[in-house]
Structure formats: C-alpha cells, structure tokens
Amino acid sequence: MFETSEWVWPTELISLLMAVVSATQLLAILLFIFRHEALPKRGMITPFNLCLVTMLLSLVGVHTCVYFSFAYNELVFTPLCGIFFTVTYEVFYLGYSYARGFPLIAEVFPTVAPPIKALVCVIPAALYVSPVFSTFAVVLADASTAKLFVTLSNGSAMVSSGLLLVFDGISLAAFAKYIRHSAAAAEFVDAKFTIIARYGIACISVCLLAMGFFLLFALFSVQRWYTAATICLNVVVGVMVGMKIALHNADVRKSEKANIASPQSTKQVKV
C-alpha cells in the first residue's frame, strides 16, 4: 500500500482532489437533468440517470475512503468500504453500458444477445462476492480462516473481472463493427447508434486501462496504480455524460428538423 521510493506519491492530495472532481461531476449532471429533463413527458428518474448518479456517488465514496485511509492511517475498514464503493460503481457501469449498448449489440450480433442478457444477470452478484469474502477476512480472528477468505476474495475478483471483460469485449467488437458499417453505408445509419458506438469505444478503452492499473496494483501493491485506476473511472463517467449530452443534442436536432418539415405543427406550437 505504501510507496518505497524517495519521492512519495501524494495520495492524500490526489484522492481529496478527485473527490471534489467527482462531486463537481455529480452536480453538473444533476443540473443538466433538472434543466433538460424536468418535464412531465420525460421524467428525471430514468435508468440512465440513476446509473450515472450512483456511479458518481460511488466515486465520491471511493476517493474519500482512500483519503481517510492515508490521512488517518486507517487501513482496515476504510479500504473495505472503498472496495464496496468500487464494486457498486462497476455494477452500475455495467447497467448503463447494457441499457445503452444492448440494442446495438443485438442488431450487430443477434445470436449473442441471449447470452449477453444472462451474463449481465450474473456479473453483479459475482462482483459483490469478492468484498463479502474480504469482510469475512477482516472480521475473523482466526488467521488461517482469514487467509482462506482472502484467497477466495482474490479468486472471485478475478472471475468477476473476467466476466466484465467478456461483456466489454463483445460490446467493443459490436461498436467497432457498426462504425465500419456506417462508413460503408451512411444512408442506412442510425444517428443515435453511431453516437453510442463512438462514445462506447472511448468508454471501454478507458475502462480497460483502469483494469490494467488495478491489475498492476494487485501484483505490486503500489498505491499510485490504484490512484491512476480510480482517476480512469472518473474519465469513464465523463465519457458517459458526454454520450448523454450528445444523444440529447441529436434529439433536439431531430425535433427541429421535424418542425421545419411540418409548418402546421410549428404554428400550433407558437400559438
């Protein structure tokens, strides 16, 4: 957990800064929702909004736990809370990615759609197994039993990460294939699918980078890799918020074109 080199990685400062960044991102998305979706026909409480808000709340928790772990040298329960926050982030990341990307995946890879549905049902439970085992390892006084639960926690974390990697890999392949198809047949392209595919590729790329940093932290126990991974998680949410705004703008442009094409409906609106 600690740096061994002469230059000490400023974990406390970075984690505190990222907690502020996460809170700012949360405030920004809430303002966007209240401004653009506080209408009777739209409704603010949607699966997409719930996922984004929960992910950002989880990130505030993750960065805060890292700060208190190092600022107050509390290296047992606070890191454990951080793990639960991280897993919660991953679960709602999966939910958002599935809700946005599944229609596109089903169109590009129809035969893969049923297994993807089953996979999405399994992954959340698999993700929470690891922190549960970690909790048992912390509260148990027997060293040998605690060591067993640590091993089980690490093993379940590898399995759940592998399942999430499979989902991301299939999504990435579907998005890339759709982008190639859209370049060859622009007249048949769905504008929203194109936005989802482009932002989805960026999102998964950063997510894979975060997984790489988490792996380095697991192998070498160097805090800077964990900090880098959590920063990547903030970037992932930023890309998802960008996707939401881009989709909103696409809806606005579509409505404007429809109003221009229908002068009668435009007059009714003005009245």
Side-chain angles (χ1 to χ4, degrees):
M1 292 291 289
F2 296 101
E3 300 295 326
T4 56
S5 59
E6 292 182 3
W7 185 79
V8 179
W9 184 257
T11 302
E12 295 176 29
L13 177 61
I14 293 175
S15 58
L16 185 60
L17 176 63
M18 292 311 300
V20 173
V21 169
S22 301
T24 304
Q25 287 180 302
L26 177 60
L27 179 61
I29 189 62
L30 288 175
L31 288 175
F32 180 86
I33 292 170
F34 279 113
R35 181 177 179 182
H36 297 285
E37 300 180 2
L39 299 172
K41 292 184 179 180
R42 291 194 57 117
M44 296 181 292
I45 303 177
T46 66
F48 306 115
N49 293 341
L50 286 174
C51 286
L52 287 175
V53 169
T54 305
M55 288 169 69
L56 286 167
L57 285 172
S58 299
L59 282 178
V60 173
V62 168
H63 295 302
T64 303
C65 286
V66 174
Y67 172 77
F68 278 100
S69 294
F70 281 83
Y72 298 97
N73 199 30
E74 204 297 294
L75 302 176
V76 179
F77 291 103
T78 306
L80 188 61
C81 291
I83 294 173
F84 273 100
F85 280 125
T86 303
V87 168
T88 301
Y89 172 97
E90 292 173 339
V91 169
F92 282 89
Y93 160 82
L94 174 68
Y96 187 93
S97 301
Y98 174 77
R100 283 296 190 200
F102 181 76
L104 192 154
I105 295 171
E107 180 174 311
V108 176
F109 299 132
T111 57
V112 178
I116 283 289
K117 284 185 176 180
L119 189 64
V120 169
C121 292
V122 171
I123 291 176
L127 285 169
Y128 275 110
V129 169
S130 177
V132 169
F133 281 145
S134 296
T135 303
F136 285 131
V138 169
V139 300
L140 290 175
D142 183 19
S144 60
T145 307
K147 186 176 180 180
L148 172 63
F149 277 110
V150 169
T151 303
L152 290 173
S153 175
N154 293 337
S156 59
M158 291 177 62
V159 171
S160 60
S161 297
L163 293 174
L164 190 59
L165 188 61
V166 169
F167 173 81
D168 279 343
I170 294 173
S171 301
L172 186 61
F175 296 156
K177 186 175 181 180
Y178 188 84
I179 292 296
R180 289 197 302 270
H181 169 75
S182 64
E187 65 274 13
F188 301 108
V189 171
D190 186 302
K192 285 191 173 183
F193 276 0
T194 302
I195 292 171
I196 292 171
R198 287 175 177 170
Y199 279 87
I201 290 172
C203 188
I204 293 172
S205 299
V206 181
C207 192
L208 293 175
L209 182 62
M211 285 186 177
F213 286 137
F214 277 128
L215 179 60
L216 288 172
F217 173 72
L219 292 174
F220 303 108
S221 297
V222 177
Q223 181 61 31
R224 68 181 61 157
W225 298 127
Y226 184 86
T227 304
T230 57
I231 292 173
C232 286
L233 299 184
N234 280 89
V235 176
V236 169
V237 180
V239 174
M240 287 182 166
V241 172
M243 179 194 296
K244 179 179 179 65
I245 294 172
L247 290 170
H248 169 77
N249 292 338
D251 280 337
V252 171
R253 287 193 297 270
K254 185 176 180 181
S255 298
E256 290 175 348
K257 289 180 180 179
N259 289 335
I260 293 172
S262 178
Q264 183 177 358
S265 62
T266 304
K267 290 179 182 179
Q268 290 176 351
V269 171
K270 289 182 178 180
V271 170

